Amino acid sequence: MNAEESLHLEHLMFVEEPMEPGEPRVHAAWLPPEAFRSLGARRVLVHGDGLLVDTVLNEVSRACARYGGRVWHSPSWDVDVDLVLALRGADELPSPAVQAARSAAEAALTEIGGEPLGDEGFLLARDGEVTVVLADAPAGLLYGLFHVVRLCAAAFDPARPPEHHRPALRRRMLDHWDNVAVHPVMGQVERGYAGGSIFWQDGRPRGDLARVREYGRLLAASGVNAISVNNVNVARTEALLLTDRLGDVAEIADVLRPYNIRVHLSITFAAPAVLGGLSTADPLDEAVRVWWAATTRRVYERIPDFGGYLVKADSEGQPGPFTYGRDHADGANVLAEALAPLGGVVHWRAFVYNHHQDWRDRSTDRARAAYDHFAPLDGRFRTNVVVQVKFGPVDFQTREPVSPVIAAMPATRLAVELQVTQEYTGQQRHVCHLGLWWGEVLRFAPWGPGGRTVADIAAGESGAGGGLVAVANVGDDLFWTGHPLAQANLYTFGRLAWDPRLDPRAVLDEWIALTFPPSATAEPELVGRTLHEIMDDSWRTYERYTAPLGVGFMVNPGDHYGPGVDGYEYTRWGTYHFADRDGVGVDRSRASGTGFAGQYPPYWAQVYESPQSCPDELLLFFHHVPYGHVLHSGSTVIQHIYDTHFAGVEEVVAMRRRWQTLNGMIDPAVYERVAERLDEQVRCATEWRDQINTYFYRKSGVPDERGRTIH
Ligand code: GCV
């Protein structure tokens, strides 16, 4: 590619102008101007009013200004158009042709079932030469617009049958573990791998609201509709966001509102004492109750559509109701009572365990903790409490079983929490596309095959469930996520939260087509194929060179990057693998272990109970077995460890080779950043392979049957 061509590509892939004068241009992620080409070249009528309709109008106007189309805002026009985006409740349209198309779309809706479109749903239908998007509410129009963008020319295909979309999950939320003040150990963003925070800097708002607005656009285009703006570990400065610094939160809410994103806040349970000057934060104390009610009212005076509170209580040193002899239901309910009349929710995290465990004590099992704490409280939470459960019982490991809490609280609204930020999956230095993994989790049926799934539980009856939440992976990095390919994890989270039945590979296709638009990419087919080859299986590749068979936490303590096989083995964190000269793994059976397997409904309790029926990929999570134990795959445990670690590194080397074939075909800045990171991935994967293989060879004394180098 010559200099002029590369300048041209950069122009198409970055947002039009630097967001602040003098700032470098930020990568446009999945909304480059070029992704709007098909829409922007058409005649578009937007029909309806309101803040979100204005957003739609602005998006369409921007696209049309760039690509030569035209836009009208009804009702005063009698025009011929290619696309109508209309609110159903809005008046008749003056143009007979356009009104006819709109009526035809109404008829199509009746034909495909006539279900209400709901607060966020939309219909897309064709009538003759016109594409019509109908919505009952402005948010539906916004999501309909981004659907048209995603479909590109296909949205205008005369043969396209009518389609009705509405989100399966009502709340689709990202939690930012962003600190306002830089934390001495965790920095500006806890577990952040993409630079600083887009919201906060050195104790103050970062002040770049244009960047926040751009973030809102990206989230809306993926389907996300809620964020929390500060870390669940709440220190003194962050606590003040609830009161003295509420204006800073309101500013963010104002900027995100046009994208249908509601803002939530992590609060400290000790707030009545640390902010309110009370002598206690006991949830059953009348003064505490009054304080929460008054404080919450003030929040809503400032932010009328405030989402609610997110709370990490009695967990890893955060204060909570245990201090006062109360339980989690007491704690959550006092906040819920304050929020209920104002339409807010409490997201109360179930990530509660003893982080001062004695490694000598084999009777305590961290995997059991969330269930032991929360399952007995089922039915005690107010209806505006959402208990937020990490998808696995331990802590976002590369492979864990699905948390048994998800099936244990039928009378409670549950949200399932995923981790987009790659704390344990390569920290955005490694390609690790998580869509496939999340798809597996969401489709898991806790009562056995064919039964309700994790996604069904998060959706709840008639959408009343707690939804899906994930820890965000963005920062002030030029590519948003450090590793440009990690943008796909963020996009995929939003899309799966909108519709958990989507095939993650198809979602990746969408992301590729938007981020590397065919019209701006040399050899788009080759680029798409290569990206699939690199990304599709990358989570499994990561698993291969790191954590075999469901064993977790063989990482360096503290930063959790790179191999540290015994890093957590003699610590207080409850994360052990128990490798000795004979075998490895944690016995969590009922018969001889910690009994964790018994926390599942009968089908899975039985499957996980015995090493014979336990799936290979979770064997060491549930059982301590000899190195010679034969897996269902036919390999022994020790040979599996060797084979997967050798294979994992080979796959990473192949990824790097594949990436090199894209040199000159895509935006050079993206190319270079990914190339750099792949070098690091090869280095780090090699280190993993050699340390893990050597460790287990030294423990077991069993040589590799293929005689490869183990140190
Ligand atoms: C925000 C893990 C992480 C912590 C994180 C915690 C949580 O333990 O390492 O950084 O704290 O999870 O989910 O609260």
Side-chain angles (χ1 to χ4, degrees):
M1 189 165 17
N2 63 34
E4 198 182 311
E5 279 165 343
S6 86
L7 203 70
H8 176 65
L9 273 186
E10 190 192 277
H11 190 59
L12 295 169
M13 305 305 295
F14 282 73
V15 292
E16 278 115 309
E17 296 302 332
M19 293 177 199
E20 293 294 321
E23 289 236 329
R25 281 146 54 105
V26 173
H27 189 250
W30 50 88
L31 290 184
E34 191 60 19
F36 289 76
R37 176 180 286 278
S38 177
L39 169 78
R42 293 194 151 79
R43 299 162 301 171
V44 186
L45 181 87
V46 179
H47 188 44
D49 290 301
L51 182 68
L52 298 188
V53 180
D54 289 345
T55 307
V56 171
L57 196 58
N58 287 339
E59 290 287 345
V60 176
S61 306
R62 217 150 64 138
C64 288
R66 178 180 273 266
Y67 293 109
R70 288 200 63 184
V71 57
W72 294 271
H73 188 199
S74 60
S76 56
W77 298 91
D78 183 3
V79 287
D80 288 332
V81 298
D82 307 302
L83 172 66
V84 184
L85 294 142
L87 282 184
R88 286 175 84 197
D91 308 328
E92 294 238 319
L93 286 156
S95 156
V98 177
Q99 181 56 35
R102 184 176 159 196
S103 307
E106 287 286 352
L109 180 60
T110 316
E111 239 168 68
I112 59 174
E115 278 180 44
L117 296 172
D119 292 348
E120 300 183 303
F122 61 90
L123 171 93
L124 184 139
R126 288 281 302 175
D127 178 59
E129 297 296 297
V130 186
T131 297
V132 183
V133 175
L134 283 185
D136 281 340
L141 222 50
L142 181 68
Y143 295 125
L145 166 78
F146 285 122
H147 187 61
V148 170
V149 173
R150 236 183 342 257
L151 288 176
C152 216
F156 303 95
D157 176 355
R160 195 168 185 88
E163 37 187 302
H164 173 192
H165 298 266
R166 58 187 294 179
L169 305 179
R170 193 168 286 179
R171 192 166 306 102
R172 309 173 295 278
M173 178 168 177
L174 284 168
D175 289 356
H176 281 260
W177 287 355
D178 297 21
N179 298 312
V180 178
V182 177
H183 184 277
V185 179
M186 292 298 169
Q188 190 78 66
V189 181
E190 181 153 347
R191 311 304 179 189
Y193 311 107
S197 164
I198 57 170
F199 303 120
W200 317 108
Q201 191 172 38
D202 293 332
R204 288 185 307 279
R206 186 168 176 274
D208 184 356
L209 291 174
R211 181 89 192 240
V212 176
R213 185 172 308 113
E214 202 55 33
Y215 184 51
R217 272 185 90 219
L218 288 171
L219 294 189
S222 78
V224 167
N225 67 356
I227 66 165
S228 73
V229 294
N230 64 306
N231 192 357
V232 289
N233 291 329
V234 182
R236 175 77 199 166
T237 311
E238 291 73 24
L240 290 167
L241 293 174
L242 179 63
T243 52
D244 304 23
R245 288 172 171 248
L246 184 60
D248 299 341
V249 183
E251 264 191 353
I252 298 174
D254 287 344
V255 170
L256 294 180
R257 190 169 295 115
Y259 297 98
N260 196 42
I261 292 164
R262 286 175 83 170
V263 162
H264 298 236
L265 193 60
S266 295
I267 53 98
T268 169
F269 192 75
V274 299
L275 301 176
L278 303 186
S279 59
T280 179
D282 180 353
L284 300 193
D285 183 286
E286 182 56 15
V288 168
R289 212 174 61 78
V290 169
W291 188 85
W292 276 116
T295 304
T296 306
R297 267 197 308 277
R298 278 194 293 276
V299 172
Y300 277 83
E301 276 159 23
R302 200 67 206 272
I303 311 171
D305 56 353
F306 179 68
Y309 300 138
L310 168 62
V311 195
K312 172 174 177 178
D314 289 315
S315 168
E316 298 186 333
Q318 292 296 303
F322 288 174
T323 310
Y324 311 99
R326 313 299 182 196
D327 62 26
H328 287 280
D330 298 327
N333 286 344
V334 68
L335 303 175
E337 187 189 315
L339 286 158
L342 302 154
V345 290
V346 184
H347 279 241
W348 190 271
R349 295 178 84 227
F351 181 60
V352 178
Y353 69 99
N354 174 6
H355 70 293
H356 287 290
Q357 198 182 317
D358 183 343
W359 59 269
R360 299 165 194 84
D361 164 20
R362 298 285 284 251
S363 66
T364 307
D365 178 7
R366 174 167 165 180
R368 293 188 56 113
Y371 181 105
D372 287 342
H373 282 292
F374 282 86
L377 301 178
D378 187 33
R380 293 241 346 260
F381 293 95
R382 291 182 63 116
T383 50
N384 63 327
V385 174
V386 170
V387 171
Q388 185 165 312
V389 187
K390 285 193 183 185
F391 75 85
V394 179
D395 195 1
F396 297 138
Q397 297 303 287
T398 310
R399 175 79 77 167
E400 288 188 47
V402 161
S403 168
V405 178
I406 296 171
M409 304 188 69
T412 306
R413 293 172 73 192
L414 292 185
V416 176
E417 185 178 310
L418 304 172
Q419 196 180 39
V420 187
T421 194
Q422 291 173 236
E423 176 177 2
Y424 296 101
T425 52
Q427 304 199 349
Q428 284 138 249
R429 285 182 252 183
H430 297 216
V431 182
C432 184
H433 184 56
L434 294 164
L436 227 58
W437 178 211
W438 296 335
E440 275 185 27
V441 168
L442 293 167
R443 281 192 304 274
F444 179 78
W447 289 274
R452 294 179 70 214
T453 62
V454 168
D456 293 336
I457 297 160
E461 301 295 334
S462 10
L468 204 60
V469 180
V471 185
N473 67 345
V474 305
D476 67 1
D477 169 56
L478 277 193
F479 293 95
W480 297 93
T481 51
H483 199 309
L485 303 187
Q487 290 173 2
N489 282 329
L490 187 60
Y491 179 81
T492 303
F493 167 74
R495 296 288 291 136
L496 290 182
W498 176 281
D499 184 357
R501 292 162 313 177
L502 291 175
D503 171 3
R505 284 193 182 83
V507 174
L508 187 57
D509 259 342
E510 287 175 15
W511 177 79
I512 292 171
L514 289 167
T515 309
F516 301 90
S519 49
T521 307
E523 303 220 41
E525 259 176 44
L526 178 68
V527 170
R529 192 168 2 106
T530 307
L531 284 167
H532 272 290
E533 283 166 359
I534 290 171
M535 295 170 79
D536 277 348
D537 211 33
S538 56
W539 158 62
R540 292 220 173 87
T541 294
Y542 187 82
E543 181 183 30
R544 281 182 200 112
Y545 63 76
T546 57
L549 304 167
V551 129
F553 269 100
M554 296 197 305
V555 289
N556 281 312
D559 73 358
H560 299 165
Y561 187 71
V565 190
D566 278 340
Y568 275 102
E569 201 54 16
Y570 307 102
T571 66
R572 61 192 168 94
W573 297 95
T575 46
Y576 316 118
H577 55 66
F578 300 124
D580 57 26
R581 65 177 188 175
D582 300 317
V584 55
V586 190
D587 184 353
R588 293 189 160 113
S589 67
R590 272 170 300 165
S592 52
T594 68
F596 168 74
Q599 291 184 337
Y600 289 87
Y603 179 88
W604 289 108
Q606 205 181 333
V607 167
Y608 293 145
E609 177 66 16
S610 127
Q612 273 62 49
S613 49
C614 185
D616 284 352
E617 67 272 15
L618 289 171
L619 183 67
L620 303 183
F621 192 94
F622 282 100
H623 298 282
H624 185 90
V625 296
Y627 293 114
H629 175 93
V630 179
L631 300 167
H632 297 116
S633 69
S635 181
T636 60
V637 165
I638 190 72
Q639 194 56 42
H640 174 93
I641 293 175
Y642 298 150
D643 288 347
T644 49
H645 284 78
F646 283 114
V649 174
E650 282 164 22
E651 287 160 21
V652 177
V653 170
M655 273 181 192
R656 181 168 63 177
R657 222 180 19 248
R658 290 196 166 105
W659 183 255
Q660 285 161 353
T661 64
L662 299 186
N663 195 0
M665 287 189 199
I666 56 168
D667 167 18
V670 172
Y671 178 81
E672 285 307 328
R673 177 70 76 87
V674 174
E676 255 166 43
R677 303 228 158 186
L678 278 165
D679 287 345
E680 165 57 14
Q681 187 169 359
V682 171
R683 184 207 65 77
C684 188
T686 307
E687 199 57 37
W688 270 101
R689 177 196 68 194
D690 291 345
Q691 287 203 27
I692 298 279
N693 283 349
T694 301
Y695 177 93
F696 284 103
Y697 173 59
R698 288 181 187 172
K699 282 270 175 197
S700 69
V702 181
D704 170 31
E705 62 186 28
R706 292 173 57 191
R708 291 163 291 193
T709 304
I710 296 179
H711 302 274

